[in-house]
Amino acid sequence: MQSGGMDHQTVAAYLRRIGAGPAGPPDARLLRELHARHLTTVPFENLGIHLDEPITLDEDALLDKIIRRRRGGFCYELNGAFGALLEALGFRVTRLAARTIGPDGTLGVPFDHLVLLVELDERWLADVGFGRHTRHPLRLDWPDPQADPDGTFLVLDAPTGDVDVLRDGEPQYRLERRPRTLDDFRAGCWWHQTSPTSHFTAGPTCSMATPDGRITLAGNRLIRTEGAHRTETVLEDDAAVLAAYRAEFGFTLDRVPRNPATQLAAAE
């Protein structure tokens, strides 16, 4: 079944990109499968910011980046593209705004994060754009802890009708219930690309779930986790960093993304 703005060829290419076969009916089983496959094939990354690549919330540009260029992105890109795929497969999708919650309880900027509400027999929160988070969608209207391969999650009522999402007892973000459009997130996307206080401008990172853990390339540090086991390897030169992007994440860059502080030091 297909509806929405994506054509059949683009839908088929997207499904191949995440290692999925032809999609069946839009139900909870399919949603869970696509969600988990997306997280293990499309990386959470901010490399465009450190490659001087403008990030725009144009649906065609997002799909081109993820499907043809085999790249990833941050929340607006990943959940923006995934939402378009779900709609094309017949799911009813609403885009919601969230604000991250810091360790001290402070909230991030408005439109800090994009989350997808998928309405089936139950209402589900789908989020493939928050880095390490849920492997599977969360039930929105579920008061009890929800077990997931990547933690135990709670979805709780918050002040003024909002919703808090907790992972292993720690608040992750506060979610609004008001429907939004992708255009509503343009200011947040610009802020995260340009603000010196945004954690995305601090340095390049690329991270993806694996069947047993996670792999992350932060600058020149390659970090693998498998269960409770963690290893870190410092890559010695640019060639090794570029090779790691190819081998671990499946895409080719023509140059290494640079932390602005590193570039400034090199210039001096």
Side-chain angles (χ1 to χ4, degrees):
M1 177 178 182
Q2 181 179 339
S3 62
M6 293 172 60
D7 60 33
H8 288 281
Q9 291 81 4
T10 304
V11 170
Y14 203 143
L15 293 174
R16 288 194 299 271
R17 168 74 173 92
I18 63 175
D27 55 19
R29 181 207 59 80
L30 178 61
L31 178 62
R32 283 173 59 87
E33 177 190 353
L34 297 178
H35 196 279
R37 287 184 179 276
H38 208 284
L39 289 166
T40 56
T41 54
V42 183
F44 177 85
E45 51 108 326
N46 67 345
L47 305 182
I49 295 171
H50 303 282
L51 291 168
D52 296 323
E53 297 174 351
I55 297 171
T56 61
L57 299 188
D58 174 78
E59 186 175 294
D60 289 339
L62 300 184
L63 296 174
D64 179 75
K65 183 177 182 181
I66 289 173
I67 298 171
R68 186 183 66 80
R69 297 167 58 196
R70 301 190 67 81
R71 289 276 300 280
F74 54 6
C75 70
Y76 313 110
E77 301 171 280
L78 298 177
N79 284 328
F82 189 52
L85 174 65
L86 293 178
E87 287 177 325
L89 294 173
F91 289 93
R92 183 181 175 187
V93 178
T94 302
R95 290 148 187 84
L96 301 178
R99 301 172 73 177
T100 57
I101 304 175
D104 59 355
T106 58
L107 296 174
V109 297
F111 298 99
D112 198 19
H113 184 53
L114 166 62
V115 183
L116 304 174
L117 169 64
V118 183
E119 297 183 71
L120 297 166
D121 292 340
E122 298 178 274
R123 297 193 299 171
W124 299 84
L125 296 177
D127 190 351
V128 296
F130 199 64
R132 188 184 175 200
H133 193 53
T134 58
R135 192 67 57 103
H136 298 117
L138 295 173
R139 289 178 169 90
L140 175 60
D141 307 306
W142 195 263
D144 300 324
Q146 300 183 49
D148 184 87
D150 286 334
T152 299
F153 292 82
L154 273 173
V155 179
L156 302 174
D157 289 339
T160 67
D162 292 342
V163 175
D164 282 350
V165 176
L166 285 68
R167 175 177 176 271
D168 294 335
E170 296 295 326
Q172 302 297 295
Y173 52 73
R174 179 162 293 172
L175 185 68
E176 298 179 358
R177 295 180 184 267
R178 176 182 173 183
R180 299 290 186 176
T181 68
L182 192 56
D183 280 346
D184 290 331
F185 294 88
R186 292 186 185 277
C189 184
W190 173 83
W191 185 88
H192 275 300
Q193 293 179 74
T194 59
S195 173
T197 59
S198 166
H199 59 275
F200 290 115
T201 61
T205 189
C206 185
S207 184
M208 192 164 65
T210 65
D212 301 316
R214 193 162 198 89
I215 185 163
T216 300
L217 181 54
N220 67 338
R221 296 182 299 117
L222 186 64
I223 304 163
R224 299 180 190 272
T225 57
E226 295 180 0
H229 183 63
R230 181 183 186 276
T231 61
E232 180 174 328
T233 304
V234 176
L235 304 178
E236 295 184 355
D237 54 29
D238 285 359
V241 172
L242 294 175
Y245 284 122
R246 289 193 301 270
E248 306 297 345
F249 301 101
F251 59 81
T252 299
L253 298 178
D254 59 7
R255 64 190 187 282
V256 173
R258 297 295 187 190
N259 183 321
T262 303
Q263 292 177 313
L264 180 61
E268 293 174 346

